[in-house]
Amino acid sequence: MPHAQTEEPKDFPALKNDLLLRAARGQEVDRVPVWIMRQAGRTLPEYRAVSEQNGFFTICRTPELACEVTLQPVRRYDLDAAIIFSDILVVPQALGMEVLMKPGEGPVFPEPLSGPDDLSRLQRPVDVHQQLGYVFQAVTLTRHKLEGKVPLIGFSGAPWTLMGYMIEGKGSKTMSKAKRWLYQHPEASHQLLSILTDVIVDYLVGQAEAGAQLLQVFESSAEYLGPDLFTEFALPYIRRISANVREKLKAKDLDIPMTIFAKGAHYALEQLADSGYEVVGLDWTVDPQDASRRLGDKVTRQGNLDPCALYAPLDSIDAMVRRMVERFGCRRWIANLGHGVYPDMTPEHVGAFVDAVHKYSSGK
C-alpha cells in the first residue's frame, strides 16, 4: 500500500462554511450545523449504484471511490459537514485480522480472537501510513474535491467497540464473549485495549495531517457496559486517545476539535464531558435538557433525534425537529440523529430533517 500524501503541500481550498467547527469550539453561530451519522452511503441510490459495481471494502480502499461516496450526500442535501467514507473495522484489519462484509449480515471476522493467547496473532507494530494510507489519501482527495464547501470529518472506532467485534466475530446483542474477557481476563483485556489505543491515536493523527478538520471517536458498544466496566475498560482509553492525539497534533501545529460518541453511555455523561473532547454525542435515549444540565457549558452537545423518526410523515419530522431545537437550544449544539441513518430510509425524509434544523435554528 503506497504512503499517503501527507508530506506534500496540499493547498486546500479556503473553507466557506465553518459552522461545524465554530459550534464544536463553543463559538457563536447564526444557525445550528447539521450532519448525519452514516450519511455517506446506505440510503442513497447513487451510493447503491457504486456499491453494486464494487465491494464495500473495495470502496473503502480506493480513494477515488471513497471520495465520490463521501461527496454524494453533500451534493444532495444542505449539510454542514462531510464525513469520510470508511469503516471502524479498518483498524482490526491493520492489525492483520480478516474482515468480510457479508450482505444481510454485516461485518464478519472468520477467525475472531478466542482467548488471550490469540493476541500473538495481531501484527505489530502497525505503520498506519502503510496499512491505512488509503484512508489518508481519500481524506486529502476529498478535501480538495469539497472545494471548501463544508468541513471534512475523520473518525475511528473506540477500543472497547473494536475489541467487541474482534472477539465476537460479528455484531452481537449481548457482547457476552467480549465481556467474558473483561471478567475472566482483565489483564489481557487491558493489553488488547492498549494495543488498539496506540493504533487509533496514530490513525486519527494521520487523518488530521491528511486534511480532516474534526475527528470523531465512536464508542458504539458502550451500552453493553455498566458504569463500573465503562470506568475501568472504556473511559481510560477514550481519555488517552484525546490526550495523545492532541499532544501529537500540537507538535505539528494542528488544532483539530474532537467528538466522543458513546452510544448507550447515558450513565457516564459527566465523565465524558471531562474526557478531553470538545463535543459529546448523545444517542436518542438521552433527554436533551437533562443532558445539557449534566454536561454543563464545558462541551458542545451533538444529536439526537431517533433515527426511526425519519420514517414518520414529513410534517411530523418537521414538528419533531422543531421540538428538538427548542429542547437543545441553539448554543453549543450540533444537530444530528441519535445514531446512524438506516439503509431503507427515504432520501426525501433525510432532506426534510436537514432542512428543518436550518429553518428552526436560523437567526436565534
Side-chain angles (χ1 to χ4, degrees):
M1 188 69 63
H3 284 301
Q5 304 163 22
T6 50
E7 291 79 22
E8 300 175 11
K10 300 181 181 65
D11 299 322
F12 291 131
L15 183 60
K16 301 167 189 171
N17 175 350
D18 66 349
L19 288 174
L20 178 82
L21 304 183
R22 291 176 62 81
R25 294 186 170 112
Q27 298 167 358
E28 293 298 320
V29 293
D30 55 13
R31 71 179 191 193
V32 170
V34 57
W35 67 281
I36 296 174
M37 286 181 278
R38 295 199 190 122
Q39 68 188 25
R42 292 174 68 98
T43 64
L44 300 183
E46 51 265 45
Y47 167 73
R48 288 194 287 274
V50 175
S51 66
E52 284 168 9
Q53 304 295 322
N54 305 274
F56 177 83
F57 283 116
T58 298
I59 299 174
C60 291
R61 294 188 187 115
T62 309
E64 293 77 12
L65 293 176
C67 172
E68 166 60 23
V69 171
T70 301
L71 295 174
Q72 287 174 348
V74 177
R75 295 189 193 116
R76 181 183 276 261
Y77 306 120
D78 187 20
L79 293 159
D80 294 300
I83 182 167
I84 197 66
F85 183 83
S86 186
D87 192 86
I88 63 171
L89 299 182
V90 299
V91 170
Q93 286 176 331
L95 284 159
M97 296 193 73
E98 183 182 11
V99 187
L100 305 175
M101 191 62 72
K102 295 196 173 181
E105 190 174 359
V108 173
F109 288 70
E111 297 183 45
L113 305 177
S114 60
D117 290 346
D118 283 342
L119 293 181
S120 63
R121 287 169 35 202
L122 300 178
Q123 296 174 9
R124 300 163 53 213
V126 173
D127 180 340
V128 292
H129 289 280
Q130 184 171 354
Q131 298 297 328
L132 297 169
Y134 57 88
V135 178
F136 306 153
Q137 292 173 13
V139 167
T140 299
L141 179 62
T142 305
R143 267 296 299 277
H144 284 294
K145 295 284 189 180
L146 277 168
E147 298 177 337
K149 184 177 181 181
V150 293
L152 179 61
I153 300 169
F155 70 91
S156 175
W160 156 247
T161 294
L162 297 180
M163 173 183 171
Y165 273 103
M166 293 163 73
I167 293 171
E168 298 285 341
K170 57 184 177 181
S172 167
K173 293 183 177 178
T174 63
M175 286 288 169
S176 59
K177 294 178 183 176
K179 288 179 72 175
R180 176 185 291 181
W181 272 54
L182 303 183
Y183 286 112
Q184 290 189 350
H185 312 296
E187 189 174 333
S189 296
H190 280 298
Q191 184 183 353
L192 175 54
L193 292 163
S194 189
I195 289 168
L196 286 163
T197 297
D198 291 343
V199 179
I200 290 164
V201 167
D202 289 343
Y203 180 43
L204 290 171
V205 169
Q207 289 181 70
E209 287 182 286
Q213 291 154 289
L214 183 145
L215 300 170
Q216 177 153 320
V217 177
F218 286 88
E219 189 69 282
S220 305
S221 298
E223 63 194 295
Y224 300 101
L225 303 176
D228 291 343
L229 289 180
F230 185 82
T231 299
E232 183 175 357
F233 292 104
L235 190 63
Y237 302 98
I238 287 170
R239 285 177 168 157
R240 193 200 299 181
I241 288 167
S242 65
N244 291 1
V245 167
R246 286 187 197 290
E247 182 180 359
K248 293 194 174 196
L249 290 182
K250 187 176 181 182
K252 302 173 187 295
D253 292 321
L254 288 171
D255 178 23
I256 307 290
M258 297 179 68
T259 299
I260 177 65
F261 176 60
K263 182 174 178 285
H266 52 84
Y267 51 78
L269 293 185
E270 291 86 353
Q271 293 166 299
L272 291 167
D274 200 33
S275 61
Y277 296 77
E278 283 85 355
V279 183
V280 173
L282 305 171
D283 67 58
W284 76 90
T285 67
V286 177
D287 177 81
Q289 291 163 314
D290 181 56
S292 298
R293 178 183 58 78
R294 293 171 61 192
L295 291 170
D297 200 44
K298 65 171 74 172
V299 294
T300 294
R301 302 146 298 154
Q302 179 173 277
N304 77 334
L305 191 71
D306 181 356
C308 289
L310 298 190
Y311 292 124
L314 293 175
D315 58 346
S316 297
I317 294 172
D318 188 87
M320 286 186 284
V321 171
R322 183 174 188 170
R323 270 199 308 277
M324 182 174 72
V325 172
E326 290 170 350
R327 296 177 80 189
F328 271 106
C330 294
R331 190 171 177 280
R332 296 212 79 150
W333 177 43
I334 297 166
N336 208 311
L337 301 178
H339 197 224
V341 66
Y342 294 128
D344 61 349
M345 197 57 66
T346 305
E348 182 187 9
H349 287 223
V350 177
F353 167 75
V354 173
D355 293 343
V357 170
H358 286 154
K359 177 170 70 172
Y360 291 119
S361 72
S362 294
K364 293 186 179 181

